[in-house]
Amino acid sequence: MGKRLPSVEALRAFGAISVLWLHCIWLGPWDFPRGLGAWFHHGWLGVDLFLIISGFATPRALLHGLNSQQTQPLRNYWRNRLARIYPLYLLTCVVFLCLIDASAITGPDRILQIISHLTLTHGWFAQAAGAINGVTWTLTLELQLYVAGFFLLLTGFRSSGRFGTWIAVAAVVFAIAIGYRFGAYVLSDHNMAV
C-alpha cells in the first residue's frame, strides 16, 4: 500500500500544470485554445484536484503506517506530513518577506501574522490569509485534511461496516464543495477574486 501510484502522480502533475498555466494566462499575453483546452482557463480547478488527491493519499499513508510493523506509526505519519510541506513553506515565506513585501511582520497585527503563519493556520483569518505569500492558503486546507483524516481513521473508519458510510459521506461532501465552488464562480460573474 505504501508504493506510489503512477496514475495519481500523473493527476498531480496535471493539476500543477493547470494552476501554472492559469497564472500564465492571468499574468501574460499567453492564452490557450478553447475546446479541450478550456480546462486551463479554469486552472483553479487544479487546486481542487490537489485537494482530492490529498484526500486519497493522506488516509492511505496513515492506513499504511497503521497496518505495517512500524513501532510509531502515528508519530511517523505526522513527521512525514510536516516534513513534506513545512520546510519549503517556511523557505517561501522567508523569500517573500525578504524580496517582495515584509509589511505583514512590521504592521500592527504582526503577532497574528507570525503565529498564524508559523502554525499554518493563516487561512483561518481574513487579514492573514494572503498577507505572506498568498498562495500558501492551500496549505492550511492541507493541514486540516491531515487532521481530519487522522481523526476519521481513529474513530473506526477502518472497520468494514462503516467503510461504505464514509465513502457516501465523502461523496456528498465532495459534491457540496464542488457545487459551492462552481456556484460562487458563476454567481460572481466569473470573478476569480471571489
Side-chain angles (χ1 to χ4, degrees):
M1 186 192 284
K3 295 181 180 177
R4 290 194 176 273
L5 301 172
S7 57
V8 173
E9 295 301 323
L11 278 175
R12 190 186 311 260
F14 181 72
I17 291 168
S18 299
V19 173
L20 179 64
W21 196 267
L22 177 67
H23 285 268
C24 289
I25 290 171
W26 284 352
L27 297 174
W30 308 285
D31 203 353
F32 203 85
R34 297 291 177 161
L36 291 177
W39 170 273
F40 295 102
H41 289 275
H42 305 287
W44 48 269
L45 290 169
V47 174
D48 294 335
L49 183 59
F50 273 115
L51 293 174
I52 292 166
I53 291 169
S54 292
F56 167 75
T58 302
R60 185 174 184 269
L62 183 54
L63 278 173
H64 174 68
L66 292 173
N67 292 331
S68 72
Q69 301 301 319
Q70 294 179 9
T71 57
Q72 299 285 332
L74 299 179
R75 186 180 71 185
N76 291 342
Y77 168 80
W78 285 108
R79 185 189 69 230
N80 293 339
R81 301 283 68 80
L82 291 176
R84 182 178 179 101
I85 62 172
Y86 205 68
L88 185 58
Y89 162 72
L90 284 180
L91 176 65
T92 60
C93 285
V94 168
V95 168
F96 181 88
L97 290 169
C98 291
L99 299 179
I100 299 174
D101 184 9
S103 64
I105 59 170
T106 59
D109 63 346
R110 66 182 161 272
I111 300 299
L112 170 70
Q113 297 292 344
I114 292 168
I115 291 173
S116 66
H117 280 83
L118 287 176
T119 58
L120 288 172
T121 57
H122 55 282
W124 301 357
F125 308 99
Q127 66 270 36
I132 300 174
N133 197 7
V135 298
T136 62
W137 66 268
T138 60
L139 294 178
T140 61
L141 294 177
E142 193 84 11
L143 185 63
Q144 292 169 35
L145 184 63
Y146 295 161
V147 172
F150 177 76
F151 284 116
L152 278 177
L153 288 171
L154 293 182
T155 62
F157 170 75
R158 295 184 297 163
S159 68
S160 61
R162 294 186 183 170
F163 186 72
T165 303
W166 285 115
I167 294 296
V169 168
V172 168
V173 168
F174 174 72
I176 291 170
I178 292 298
Y180 171 80
R181 183 125 162 123
F182 182 73
Y185 176 71
V186 169
L187 293 175
S188 67
D189 198 28
H190 309 295
N191 180 356
M192 291 306 298
V194 172

